[in-house]
Amino acid sequence: MKTRILLLILFVSVNVLAQAPKLSENFTVEVGEQYGETDGDIRNFYDYDGYVIGINRHKDHLVVQKFDPNTLKEIERKEYKKFFKEKRREDFEKILRLGDEVLFFYPQWDRKAKVESLEYESISLKTLEVSDFKEIIRQEGKVAGDFAFVRSGFFTTKAKTLNKYEYRTSYDNDKLLIEYRLKPKFRDDSKSFDRISINVFDKDLKPIWDEVIEMPYTEKKMDNEDFVIDKEGNFFMLVKVYEDDTTNEKKRKKKDANYHLEIFKVKKGTTSIINNKIEIGDKFVDEVLLYEDALGNIVLSGTSKNPDSRSGIFLNKKRGQATGIFTAKLNNEGAISEFMSYDFPLEMLTKYATKKEKKRNEKKKGDDEESPAFEGLKINSIAANNDGSFLILGEQRYVVVKTRTSSSGRTSTSYTYYYRDILAAKINADGTLAWMHKLPKRQVGKRGKRTMSYTHMFAGENHYLLYLDNVKNLNLTEDQVPYKHTDGKGGYFTAYIINDKTGQVIKEAIFNTREFNGTELEHFETDKIFPLSDSEILIEGFEGRSKDFLVKVTAKK
């Protein structure tokens, strides 16, 4: 009996040791002093004058903190009691930084005067003080937006228009664009032409120019994909334009898409639209982003997909899945570069895939109708380099909804959130493909994003993709499916390290959240990670007894 117990203890000890990987020597980890908890739905950090400023919602209070990023100590705190209780703040819509201030925006509707307005308050990153309310936009009549039902009481809802205003800052964060749509003149999309109000401000929120621009195509014929302003304050919009009066993305017996892309340019202070047409051939647009690069070019990049299809008795629409990436560029002279696209190689897609995923993609090889696909892929961001090259970063993100009915007739619905493999692809400044990777992970949860997804930073010659993982995934082979990381169950803070020039990838574990500095790093969330510099990030941890603390992770260059 003793022998069996000894053998069992020995087996468990060896197994535990085998699961404890060697931690990376490419990072340093520092832990700061504890401070009072600030746990709410607003948790933002900003760097200013060598310090870090935290802006948080704690219950109904606004908490503004100042930290020393070297000592990781909280050195100043201001609390504004019952800040979010005031009625004018109940429709809080947006928070963003412009210059040395953080701005809170609130749409307002004056029913008596029939006037829409947009108000804001600013928080000084220098003094941590909150300004008075100021009006920045005033519009007679209704502004268009998204119609939705929102909770107004414990058991009641009310109809409301959300997302009325869109916000963009210039590449140098020196200008702010606020764009909104005027209420359409006609309800029929085939007769209605969108009227868009463009409002550009400098970093002190002084108006530079504002105009109302009527679109050259009807709402039915045109889809607005994205928009941006450049450092000069010029406005650019990317649109999808259908070739006929239908909204079919593909015509029967036709190979090419039934639409093309256009970039509209409106020069500062004018109302005329300069059209720049982009032919996409047989590619179908999945997601696309528009941005200004470090060299002043307006770049569009995104993912292509298989065309949508319909199946079943009711011809239910099935959305096509991503099959590759593409890019094109509008330079300072107004010339459009060649539309360049790159399909996902089947060899890449079958790495770390399940048997079903491999079978589905291998069946599509050589298919004229469908190409092998990166299922569930969504673009997360575009990371622009100083030389005009950029990274397209995305991951498989989707939600599985299940509704069950009990024997008594009661129904219940569950939501399972999946954050799976990462796409990392580098495009050179001339539009050629430098490298492309599918990086395995498998994060699953029941309460939204929380500990899942990843954070990107660039230090020295390497890109770092930082995320929480199951320790068993540290040394996966290409024919293995990643082990599941369950949200809320701890895990290893892990890094994919990608050399920017060569694309070479290594994977390392940085720390274990369950054995961290003599305690457990509780309430770890990806959205609490703040890029402090090109080589440093801050993570806000929770001690478990109403105390928070900062963790600094530094990549050794």
Side-chain angles (χ1 to χ4, degrees), residues 190-222:
S190 65
K191 297 179 180 179
S192 177
F193 291 80
D194 261 343
R195 293 173 298 145
I196 294 177
S197 178
I198 301 168
N199 304 266
V200 181
F201 305 86
D202 66 16
K203 63 181 179 181
D204 297 317
L205 288 182
K206 294 178 181 177
I208 297 176
W209 68 284
D210 63 273
E211 296 287 352
V212 174
I213 309 297
E214 184 168 279
M215 295 293 100
Y217 305 106
T218 64
E219 289 187 59
K220 181 178 180 180
K221 194 174 180 67
M222 184 193 91

Side-chain angles (χ1 to χ4, degrees), residues 175-271:
K175 293 179 179 62
L176 171 66
L177 164 69
I178 302 177
E179 183 245 40
Y180 60 92
R181 293 171 54 236
L182 302 182
K183 192 173 181 180
K185 293 179 180 179
F186 303 98
R187 290 189 176 183
D188 186 344
D189 284 354
S190 65
K191 297 179 180 179
S192 177
F193 291 80
D194 261 343
R195 293 173 298 145
I196 294 177
S197 178
I198 301 168
N199 304 266
V200 181
F201 305 86
D202 66 16
K203 63 181 179 181
D204 297 317
L205 288 182
K206 294 178 181 177
I208 297 176
W209 68 284
D210 63 273
E211 296 287 352
V212 174
I213 309 297
E214 184 168 279
M215 295 293 100
Y217 305 106
T218 64
E219 289 187 59
K220 181 178 180 180
K221 194 174 180 67
M222 184 193 91
D223 290 335
N224 176 4
E225 298 289 335
D226 203 4
F227 59 91
V228 71
I229 54 169
D230 64 12
K231 292 188 286 287
E232 305 303 319
N234 301 309
F235 175 82
F236 298 85
M237 176 182 281
L238 177 67
V239 299
K240 179 195 294 182
V241 181
Y242 292 94
E243 305 293 358
D244 57 21
D245 292 330
T246 73
T247 55
N248 299 328
E249 68 170 13
K250 184 177 179 291
K251 305 297 286 185
R252 283 188 179 182
K253 299 182 180 180
K254 295 287 185 180
K255 185 179 181 181
D256 291 355
N258 188 40
Y259 56 81
H260 63 270
L261 299 177
E262 292 186 18
I263 296 181
F264 295 163
K265 178 179 180 180
V266 181
K267 290 185 178 180
K268 179 174 62 177
T270 69
T271 57

Side-chain angles (χ1 to χ4, degrees), residues 60-226:
D60 290 319
H61 317 309
L62 175 69
V63 181
V64 187
Q65 302 159 281
K66 185 175 184 179
F67 299 94
D68 184 330
N70 297 312
T71 63
L72 303 180
K73 292 181 179 180
E74 182 189 65
I75 56 177
E76 188 176 355
R77 169 188 285 235
K78 291 191 177 181
E79 295 194 20
Y80 297 87
K81 300 291 186 181
K82 306 296 182 183
F83 181 86
F84 292 99
K85 275 288 191 181
E86 186 170 336
K87 186 172 178 59
R88 290 173 78 178
R89 298 189 179 104
E90 69 178 11
D91 289 333
F92 165 73
E93 181 176 75
K94 183 71 174 179
I95 177 172
L96 62 84
R97 176 180 182 172
L98 189 66
D100 296 339
E101 295 183 327
V102 173
L103 310 172
F104 281 54
F105 289 95
Y106 311 92
Q108 307 291 347
W109 167 244
D110 187 330
R111 187 181 299 275
K112 186 176 181 180
K114 298 189 183 306
V115 169
E116 294 260 20
S117 62
L118 182 65
E119 297 182 341
Y120 74 94
E121 295 173 290
S122 61
I123 301 174
S124 169
L125 295 176
K126 180 179 180 180
T127 66
L128 314 188
E129 297 287 343
V130 179
S131 73
D132 294 331
F133 280 92
K134 297 176 185 177
E135 185 178 87
I136 191 170
I137 286 175
R138 189 173 183 82
Q139 174 68 51
E140 291 186 6
K142 282 281 190 180
V143 171
D146 299 327
F147 182 79
F149 288 97
V150 298
R151 180 179 291 182
S152 58
F154 198 76
F155 294 107
T156 59
T157 60
K158 64 178 179 180
K160 205 167 190 177
T161 302
L162 305 176
N163 305 320
K164 296 179 181 179
Y165 302 91
E166 295 279 356
Y167 307 81
R168 298 287 190 279
T169 53
S170 58
Y171 179 83
D172 57 5
N173 202 39
D174 208 40
K175 293 179 179 62
L176 171 66
L177 164 69
I178 302 177
E179 183 245 40
Y180 60 92
R181 293 171 54 236
L182 302 182
K183 192 173 181 180
K185 293 179 180 179
F186 303 98
R187 290 189 176 183
D188 186 344
D189 284 354
S190 65
K191 297 179 180 179
S192 177
F193 291 80
D194 261 343
R195 293 173 298 145
I196 294 177
S197 178
I198 301 168
N199 304 266
V200 181
F201 305 86
D202 66 16
K203 63 181 179 181
D204 297 317
L205 288 182
K206 294 178 181 177
I208 297 176
W209 68 284
D210 63 273
E211 296 287 352
V212 174
I213 309 297
E214 184 168 279
M215 295 293 100
Y217 305 106
T218 64
E219 289 187 59
K220 181 178 180 180
K221 194 174 180 67
M222 184 193 91
D223 290 335
N224 176 4
E225 298 289 335
D226 203 4

Side-chain angles (χ1 to χ4, degrees), residues 76 272 294 397:
E76 188 176 355
S272 59
R397 286 187 279 119

